[in-house]
Amino acid sequence: MRSLLLSALFVSISFSVYSLDYKHLASDTTDTGFFGNAQVSAKMIAAKHEFNENNMRGALTIYREVLEMEPNNESALYWTARCHYELKKYRLAQEYLDQALHVNPEIGKNNEFFQGKIYHRLARLDEAIASFEAFLKENEGKNSLDVEDAQRYISECRFAQEMMAKPAEVSVSNLGKEVNSRYDDYSPSITADGKLLVFTSRRANSVGGEIDEGSDYKFFEDIFYSEWNKETGTWSDAEGIEGEVNTPTYDAVLSIAPDGKQIFVYKNNLNSAGDIFVSTLNGNDNSWRAPEKMPRPINTSYFESSISITQDGQKIYFISERGGSGFGQGDIYVSEKQGSGWSKPENLGDVINTPFDEKFVFIHPNGKTLYFASDGHQCLGSYDIFKTEYVNGRWSIPINLGYPINTVNEESTFSLTQDNKTMLIAAEYGDTFGE
């Protein structure tokens, strides 16, 4: 199977805060005097505020100002490492953590958990395991989420070592500058004929061109498309889809129907808190009509995201965090067409769904092969992609697609061509253009 790559995945931010000794808030290595130290302290407080507000770039700017005044400020070095980790700049995170530890080895005390997470993301797996084991030894007998996670991460590291030792026979290549940008590009979805690709991007030329200052300080999402030229063997330059779908706020594609006549859209705004919408193609001018919110029982007051429709249009598979029938966070549900509406969604059960998070779902045009992203089955790290087959009225035990499709980082939005030979996947492999 040949795999094509869309660049960078949407950054999911974790906010667990590790212990840190603040008594060295201002470094003694630079003689800034009383007012200098006061200024440094004020900047450190401001930077931590931006960090807690999820404005990692803003926090980094302030930490850089501190380090210009006090190059050996251990706290600024440490929190710079934390910012880079949240931005998925893992090598920079390791670089700044090393500098912080060089200034004060004690700053890393009780932070083996953070060190282990960096090593894990850098695929330095032996070192990651050693860091997590050191963290567990220091916290022996304690019950906490970090202790549970450390045990789980050790298992992931060992599984990653196993998978990376026997890679799957696939080739991975970047889809190219025609589609990818230096910004986040993700949720690729391709029609059954392989001619039309739609995806979500947070690039500068989105409708309105505005930055979300209330969240992560990136451009708002828009839906873009690219068309395959069989004669030249290339994709056209990506453009925003035409019609009434994209707005100045968040508009993200969840999937395109196999026949290319419907696009499922995710909206999260004042009027819709995480709901699935559908837009239909206007055949007269190939523009997309204003998305309409899918009815109950598909959408609920809970979070719904990711949806995939069968080629005959009779079934939809989707992700929901609804209560009652769920096994964990997001679970995969199926609903069948009933007149102009949909049947009561049925949970796919605990063979597929886990106590953790099933995040993305794709039903192959054959209607019998289901692919999904999860962090609850055995993973190499973060979310991996799994495959299950519908055989004799039940879904088979999911199989991890293995390395190099799945890596120690997150792989969670994707689409496959009808011939099952090409997967388009949003990921942060080694040759990304940006995010």
Side-chain angles (χ1 to χ4, degrees), residues 83 103 110 135 216 240 250 256 285 308 319 326 397 404 433:
C83 288
V103 174
N110 297 321
F135 171 79
D216 57 9
Y250 283 110
I256 190 168
D285 59 4
S308 184
I319 302 292
I397 295 174
F433 290 161

Side-chain angles (χ1 to χ4, degrees), residues 26-28 30 32-42 69-70:
S27 168
D28 293 329
T30 303
T32 56
F34 175 80
F35 292 106
N37 287 334
Q39 187 178 18
V40 165
S41 297
M69 299 174 66
E70 298 185 353

Side-chain angles (χ1 to χ4, degrees), residues 178 199 203 205 223-226 236-242:
E178 292 79 13
F199 63 98
R203 58 188 67 186
N205 62 332
I223 301 172
F224 287 75
Y225 77 96
S226 178
S236 65
D237 289 339
E239 299 179 19
I241 62 171
E242 299 170 355

Side-chain angles (χ1 to χ4, degrees), residues 187 221 252-255 264-268 273-277 294 298-300 302-308 316-322 329-333 357-362 372-373 383 412-413:
S187 295
E221 296 172 320
V253 64
L254 298 176
S255 64
F264 293 95
V265 178
Y266 173 79
K267 286 184 176 291
N268 188 357
D275 287 325
I276 301 171
F277 288 68
M294 294 195 72
I298 305 305
N299 284 314
T300 66
Y302 295 90
F303 177 80
E304 276 79 37
S305 69
S306 185
I307 186 170
S308 184
I316 52 173
Y317 294 83
F318 67 99
I319 302 292
S320 177
E321 293 184 0
R322 65 192 62 200
Q329 299 174 43
D331 276 7
I332 303 174
Y333 291 80
D357 194 26
E358 279 60 61
K359 185 174 184 178
F360 189 87
V361 62
F362 173 82
F372 64 97
Y383 292 87
S412 64
T413 62

Side-chain angles (χ1 to χ4, degrees), residues 1 306-308 317-319 332 348 352 358-374 384-389 395 398-401 405-406 412 414-423:
M1 180 174 68
S306 185
I307 186 170
S308 184
Y317 294 83
F318 67 99
I319 302 292
I332 303 174
L348 291 197
I352 305 296
E358 279 60 61
K359 185 174 184 178
F360 189 87
V361 62
F362 173 82
I363 183 67
H364 192 272
N366 66 24
K368 296 180 180 179
T369 309
L370 189 75
Y371 295 85
F372 64 97
S374 171
D384 281 359
I385 302 172
F386 296 83
K387 170 186 174 181
T388 179
E389 302 276 358
W395 293 102
I399 298 173
N400 188 303
L401 294 191
I405 297 173
N406 292 318
S412 64
F414 56 90
S415 181
L416 280 88
T417 55
Q418 190 164 13
D419 63 9
N420 216 38
K421 292 183 178 180
T422 302
M423 170 181 282

Side-chain angles (χ1 to χ4, degrees), residues 6 11 15 23 46 52 84 133 179 203 250 274 278 324 343 395 430:
L6 260 83
V11 177
F15 289 102
K23 67 182 180 180
N52 290 335
H84 283 304
E133 287 179 339
V179 174
R203 58 188 67 186
Y250 283 110
V278 61
S343 67
W395 293 102

